[in-house]
Amino acid sequence: MENVKVIIWGLGAMGGGMADMILNKKGIEVVGVADMGKKIGTSMFDYVKTERGNRPDVIIQAAEDVIKEGAADIVLLCTDSFTKNAFSKLKFVMEHKLNVITTAEEMAFPKAQSPELAAELDKIAKENGVSCLGTGVNPGHIMDLLVLVMTGVLTDVQEITSRRVNSLSPFGPLVMSEQGIGISVDEFMARKANHTMAGHVGFAESVGMMAEGMGLTVAEFSQDMNPIVTDVDRKSPHGFAAAGTCAGVAMTAEAKLSNGIPVHMDHPQQIEPEQVGVTTGDYVIIKGSPNVNLLNSPEIEGGLGTIAMVVNMIPHVINADAGLKTMIDLPIPRAIMGDFRNLIKEEKKIIK
Amino acid sequence: MENVKVIIWGLGAMGGGMADMILNKKGIEVVGVADMGKKIGTSMFDYVKTERGNRPDVIIQAAEDVIKEGAADIVLLCTDSFTKNAFSKLKFVMEHKLNVITTAEEMAFPKAQSPELAAELDKIAKENGVSCLGTGVNPGHIMDLLVLVMTGVLTDVQEITSRRVNSLSPFGPLVMSEQGIGISVDEFMARKANHTMAGHVGFAESVGMMAEGMGLTVAEFSQDMNPIVTDVDRKSPHGFAAAGTCAGVAMTAEAKLSNGIPVHMDHPQQIEPEQVGVTTGDYVIIKGSPNVNLLNSPEIEGGLGTIAMVVNMIPHVINADAGLKTMIDLPIPRAIMGDFRNLIKEEKKIIK
């Protein structure tokens, strides 16, 4: 069987990380990269950590020059957060009869906020005999899939608390700016009001996925964001928050499922939490039969986690029946440590 | 759509717990129970906690009188631990064109120790258009599936430690006897030598499942059991271990996967661990990128966990393509809290 052939669309921090991961795996290769502007015509190896060595070069092209029928087995789309923005790109990929995985957070469960677009994507996927998945570390794993997996050993679920206390310190200047690191509380409130504070995208999707996974629907849902004001100066590699300013964003959501189960989502994100005695970690707390009291500490690093999820899900998406998929439709995610081809069904391979 | 119709084969602690769970769920019902000896001709409601109320009675019958084509959508087989013992029963169920889930520990990954029987079961399932799964809390979830799910957010895996520190105190007289609670170290060693010490069945299956999930194979595997000798008298509802005798069994396994990854399985089982300061819990410890350091404490109770897993997997097994399945082939387990019929594909329902 030919190597699993991958095109990466969007060679930023996520797409570049996926290229590096694939370059270090067996039975899989990057055969094309799509991006825009000055990157076009340059080498993928200028943007990744892995040395080219004696590998063939991969020249970055415009999407319409690289996304073609029969050009790859799958496209990894790393350009957007919202379904409405990713939609036309996903359509473009699937109309060229290629499978696609996207990091767009809303695409982890697009029915939650864009049911019409989700139905349209499912139709396009089926018409073209390919499949489409949105995934990442969160939404896609820690605050939803892991919760569901833990409910699997429960005979009854009465209340769910999904908490992710993470550090923003590993992230670069863009995230520092998007999350308002170092801004005043007044500025935070102004940006919150005019929707220019990024916060976390994904609570509606995580809650929707958990509900559907358990055979329920979402009866009530509301979310909020508040500043994490620091008492001390905090400095991370790319961020600085003076005492009295914002060191991060505390995201929360409250939901009720159709059978009355309350769901609490709690996701404070900040730089240098250790400086103020905050222990980072991923928590799954379920009241049920039996109870679940799970902690993974420190938390799974967001960037690495998303890169891993997208690449590790490649075999499942290629093997899937045609259509729009979510993480609850496919087999469990797991690190692919052997040859990727061992996990691919022959009849589903596009490039035999 | 008709309710999901279930036959339970073996109405012991596990089968009875499944009956209770199903009696308290929506869109699913127990339509038959198979057992042996004096139970035949008596009512299922004599052996479960749920009151019959105005439900129709379910009279326990011999297997050949209840397992019939078109009699149910699925059979839950709760009679054995080993593939070779469960085999003829699984064959009998599938030749009557019914799906089946078994609690037999070796059936969680039967290829590990009985590859020929696994191939034969897959053939029988496909010939009869049904599917077959072995599952439970362990093997099936805590020491294997949960580990794999956590590797999903990792770009690389270097070493795996899967640890389950559990209490045997909730279990009854049979488990106390099987696990040698209160026997001398000499007797433990004699029973270990003549293979009458139960210990834990499932390490080979858990390691096999983890290897295959990651696209690898098992290169080396060995397991051991040793007595947990208590310094103090320990008393549980159904067990007693005087100071100097055995309060439990410490099960361990060491494995190496085909790419050299070491896997450590560590599963001490004992009565009243709290009396000697042992905190029970389920641990997933992975050296990789990033590391995983996960703890669920106290541990998921074994009995409830197995009951939940079998019932919660019913929709996935009915929906699956025909064949022998393991937990890595099917969508993620999750508690079914809504109507079971909402999760069943119409075309896969046996009793429409």
Side-chain angles (χ1 to χ4, degrees):
Chain A
M1 191 190 279
E2 286 276 320
N3 277 348
V4 176
K5 294 183 192 294
V6 180
I7 291 170
I8 296 174
W9 188 344
L11 199 67
M14 291 300 98
M18 290 171 207
D20 276 316
M21 182 171 168
I22 291 168
L23 287 163
N24 290 285
K25 295 282 177 184
K26 263 186 288 189
I28 186 166
E29 62 184 302
V30 179
V31 295
V33 173
D35 211 309
M36 297 186 305
K38 284 192 291 188
K39 281 185 182 166
I40 290 177
T42 63
S43 168
M44 169 182 84
F45 291 96
D46 297 345
Y47 304 90
V48 300
K49 290 174 188 153
T50 311
E51 295 288 332
R52 180 181 156 196
N54 54 11
R55 295 180 180 89
D57 204 0
V58 177
I59 302 298
I60 302 172
Q61 296 172 275
E64 52 274 25
D65 294 327
V66 63
I67 312 276
K68 294 183 171 173
E69 189 173 338
D73 293 297
I74 195 160
V75 174
L76 309 182
L77 178 66
C78 312
T79 55
D80 297 284
S81 285
F82 304 107
T83 299
K84 67 177 191 296
N85 299 336
F87 179 83
S88 64
K89 302 186 187 89
L90 295 168
K91 184 171 188 280
F92 183 79
V93 172
M94 292 194 286
E95 287 180 346
H96 288 86
K97 302 195 189 304
L98 302 178
N99 299 295
V100 61
I101 304 178
T102 171
T103 55
E105 288 94 329
E106 286 189 355
M107 279 296 299
F109 201 77
K111 256 198 283 186
Q113 303 201 68
S114 309
E116 296 84 4
L117 294 180
E120 181 69 14
L121 287 169
D122 187 52
K123 186 165 159 269
I124 296 167
K126 286 173 176 161
E127 282 169 358
N128 291 283
V130 293
S131 47
C132 172
L133 172 73
T135 196
V137 73
N138 181 34
H141 193 293
I142 296 295
M143 292 189 81
D144 38 39
L145 177 111
L146 182 57
V147 177
L148 280 175
V149 166
M150 290 311 297
T151 69
V153 285
L154 272 54
T155 60
D156 188 30
V157 176
Q158 286 144 25
E159 184 169 4
I160 292 173
T161 301
S162 181
R163 176 173 295 137
R164 178 161 161 83
V165 182
N166 70 326
S167 174
L168 293 176
S169 291
F171 291 90
L174 180 64
V175 170
M176 297 300 117
S177 154
E178 284 175 349
Q179 303 292 350
I181 304 305
I183 67 175
S184 69
V185 173
D186 284 351
E187 188 178 345
F188 184 102
M189 290 306 182
R191 283 178 57 180
K192 176 180 171 179
N194 68 22
H195 306 290
T196 58
M197 179 64 67
H200 168 67
V201 176
F203 279 161
E205 290 70 25
S206 289
V207 173
M209 189 192 301
M210 288 191 276
E212 183 162 299
M214 295 190 286
L216 302 170
T217 57
V218 181
E220 296 172 24
F221 176 84
S222 64
Q223 68 174 31
D224 197 9
M225 59 166 69
N226 283 291
I228 299 174
V229 180
T230 184
D231 289 333
V232 297
D233 288 359
R234 298 196 210 174
K235 190 169 174 8
S236 67
H238 299 281
F240 176 72
T245 70
C246 297
V249 185
M251 296 287 309
T252 52
E254 291 294 324
K256 200 159 269 190
L257 306 188
S258 47
N259 65 345
I261 297 176
V263 178
H264 316 286
M265 307 293 288
D266 182 19
H267 186 18
Q269 315 184 72
Q270 61 201 295
I271 61 166
E272 301 298 297
E274 301 81 6
Q275 282 193 28
V276 290
V278 172
T279 304
T280 61
D282 301 311
Y283 299 75
V284 177
I285 301 161
I286 308 175
K287 282 189 200 165
S289 302
N291 293 322
V292 173
N293 184 28
L294 181 148
L295 165 62
N296 174 59
S297 181
E299 87 283 16
I300 296 293
E301 191 196 312
L304 265 182
T306 291
I307 289 164
M309 279 293 281
V310 170
V311 175
N312 287 329
M313 289 303 290
I314 288 174
H316 293 338
V317 174
I318 293 175
N319 289 343
D321 294 338
L324 173 65
K325 304 294 170 185
T326 74
M327 290 301 295
I328 56 176
D329 301 316
L330 299 174
I332 61 162
R334 74 293 292 256
I336 313 298
M337 296 300 298
D339 192 311
F340 269 67
R341 292 170 294 187
N342 293 347
L343 291 125
I344 303 287
K345 293 181 189 167
E346 183 87 43
E347 71 273 20
K348 287 291 187 175
K349 191 85 168 58
I350 292 177
I351 305 177
K352 304 286 182 188
Chain B
M1 190 190 280
E2 285 277 320
N3 278 347
V4 176
K5 295 183 191 293
V6 181
I7 292 169
I8 297 175
W9 188 345
L11 198 68
M14 291 300 97
M18 289 170 206
D20 277 315
M21 183 171 168
I22 291 169
L23 286 164
N24 290 285
K25 295 283 179 184
K26 263 185 289 190
I28 186 166
E29 61 183 303
V30 180
V31 295
V33 173
D35 211 310
M36 299 186 304
K38 284 192 289 188
K39 281 186 184 167
I40 290 178
T42 63
S43 167
M44 169 182 85
F45 290 96
D46 296 345
Y47 304 90
V48 301
K49 291 176 189 152
T50 311
E51 294 289 331
R52 181 180 156 195
N54 52 10
R55 296 179 181 90
D57 203 2
V58 178
I59 302 297
I60 303 173
Q61 296 173 273
E64 52 275 24
D65 294 326
V66 62
I67 312 276
K68 294 184 172 174
E69 189 172 339
D73 294 298
I74 193 160
V75 174
L76 309 182
L77 178 67
C78 311
T79 55
D80 298 284
S81 285
F82 303 107
T83 299
K84 67 175 189 300
N85 299 337
F87 179 83
S88 63
K89 302 186 187 88
L90 295 167
K91 184 170 187 280
F92 183 78
V93 172
M94 292 195 285
E95 287 180 344
H96 288 86
K97 302 196 188 305
L98 302 178
N99 299 294
V100 60
I101 304 178
T102 170
T103 54
E105 288 94 329
E106 285 188 357
M107 279 296 299
F109 200 77
K111 255 198 285 188
Q113 303 202 67
S114 310
E116 296 83 6
L117 293 181
E120 182 69 15
L121 288 170
D122 188 51
K123 187 166 158 270
I124 296 167
K126 285 173 177 159
E127 282 170 357
N128 291 284
V130 293
S131 46
C132 172
L133 172 72
T135 195
V137 74
N138 182 35
H141 193 293
I142 295 294
M143 293 189 80
D144 39 38
L145 178 112
L146 182 58
V147 177
L148 280 174
V149 166
M150 290 310 298
T151 69
V153 285
L154 273 54
T155 61
D156 189 29
V157 176
Q158 286 144 25
E159 184 168 4
I160 291 173
T161 301
S162 182
R163 176 172 296 139
R164 177 161 162 83
V165 181
N166 71 327
S167 173
L168 293 177
S169 291
F171 292 90
L174 181 64
V175 170
M176 296 302 117
S177 154
E178 283 174 350
Q179 304 292 348
I181 304 305
I183 66 175
S184 69
V185 174
D186 284 351
E187 188 178 345
F188 183 102
M189 289 306 181
R191 284 178 56 180
K192 176 180 170 180
N194 68 22
H195 306 290
T196 58
M197 179 63 68
H200 167 68
V201 177
F203 280 161
E205 290 69 26
S206 289
V207 172
M209 188 193 300
M210 288 191 277
E212 184 162 299
M214 294 191 287
L216 302 170
T217 56
V218 181
E220 296 171 23
F221 175 85
S222 63
Q223 68 174 30
D224 199 7
M225 58 167 70
N226 283 292
I228 299 174
V229 180
T230 183
D231 288 334
V232 297
D233 287 0
R234 298 196 209 175
K235 188 164 174 19
S236 67
H238 299 281
F240 176 72
T245 70
C246 297
V249 184
M251 296 286 310
T252 53
E254 290 295 323
K256 200 160 269 188
L257 306 188
S258 46
N259 66 345
I261 297 175
V263 178
H264 316 287
M265 307 294 287
D266 183 18
H267 186 17
Q269 315 185 71
Q270 60 201 294
I271 60 165
E272 301 298 297
E274 302 80 7
Q275 282 193 28
V276 290
V278 171
T279 303
T280 61
D282 300 312
Y283 298 75
V284 177
I285 302 161
I286 308 175
K287 284 190 199 164
S289 302
N291 293 323
V292 172
N293 184 30
L294 180 148
L295 166 61
N296 175 59
S297 182
E299 89 284 16
I300 296 293
E301 191 196 312
L304 266 181
T306 291
I307 290 163
M309 280 293 280
V310 170
V311 175
N312 287 327
M313 289 304 289
I314 288 174
H316 294 338
V317 173
I318 293 176
N319 290 341
D321 295 338
L324 173 66
K325 304 294 170 184
T326 74
M327 290 301 298
I328 57 176
D329 301 316
L330 298 175
I332 61 162
R334 74 293 290 258
I336 313 298
M337 296 300 297
D339 192 311
F340 268 67
R341 292 170 294 187
N342 293 346
L343 292 123
I344 304 287
K345 293 181 189 167
E346 182 87 43
E347 71 273 19
K348 287 291 187 176
K349 190 85 168 59
I350 292 178
I351 304 178
K352 303 286 182 188

